[in-house]
Amino acid sequence: MILGIGTDLANIDRIAGTLERFGDRFRNRVFTDIEQRKAERRADTPGTYAKRWAAKEACSKALGTGLRMGIAWKDMAVTNLATGQPVMQVTGWAADRLVEMTPPDHEAIIHVTLTDDHPWAQAFVVIEALPRRE
């Protein structure tokens, strides 16, 4: 069953300007160390940050909260599998919210997809609950 769906569209040039203006203050407030290392290795650093920004916004919407009610930017983090597939990990209040919205005897799975076409970065997040296997 679908528990939540979220999407967000971020302007890469806006994120680039924010990075230029606030630098590490912005990076450290919003992105985990792993997300920062990934973005800084990429040729399109602002685009990588913009996709992750959009994913965090989309995840907060799928959790049904938006960025309020105690959720923090770093409570949601995008990493990648060896295949390159993005995955969303939640900690802190976001993880608590996920547990709260998951029906008993179910396991929540967060699906995330990212794309960009300059100047836009987009993310979709779907939170699915599957019955636990015994």
Side-chain angles (χ1 to χ4, degrees):
M1 90 182 63
I2 302 299
L3 299 179
I5 299 171
T7 185
D8 193 66
L9 186 65
N11 185 288
I12 296 169
D13 294 333
R14 181 175 151 254
I15 297 295
T18 302
L19 287 164
E20 205 171 287
R21 184 171 177 200
F22 297 105
D24 285 343
R25 189 169 135 211
F26 172 66
R27 278 186 208 72
N28 294 332
R29 180 174 163 256
V30 176
F31 302 101
T32 65
D33 292 341
I34 292 170
E35 289 173 313
Q36 290 181 46
R37 283 194 300 271
K38 172 84 172 182
E40 297 300 326
R41 286 194 314 261
R42 304 298 290 265
D44 182 14
T45 299
T48 302
Y49 280 122
K51 285 185 281 190
R52 278 148 181 75
W53 170 280
K56 291 167 186 272
E57 287 274 7
C59 184
S60 72
K61 293 170 185 174
L63 289 168
T65 64
L67 285 161
R68 58 181 172 82
M69 296 174 58
I71 199 166
W73 287 103
K74 287 184 172 181
D75 285 348
M76 302 164 289
V78 178
T79 59
N80 295 84
L81 300 177
T83 60
Q85 176 185 347
V87 292
M88 178 67 70
Q89 298 172 332
V90 292
T91 58
W93 194 92
D96 294 344
R97 172 68 181 139
L98 184 62
V99 168
E100 177 185 299
M101 65 190 288
T102 304
D105 300 322
H106 284 71
E107 174 184 4
I109 299 169
I110 302 174
H111 304 277
V112 60
T113 185
L114 309 172
T115 191
D116 65 275
D117 187 5
H118 197 88
W120 301 107
Q122 186 172 31
F124 286 96
V125 171
V126 175
I127 301 175
E128 176 184 26
L130 296 175
R132 282 200 182 106
R133 295 183 184 198
E134 295 181 28

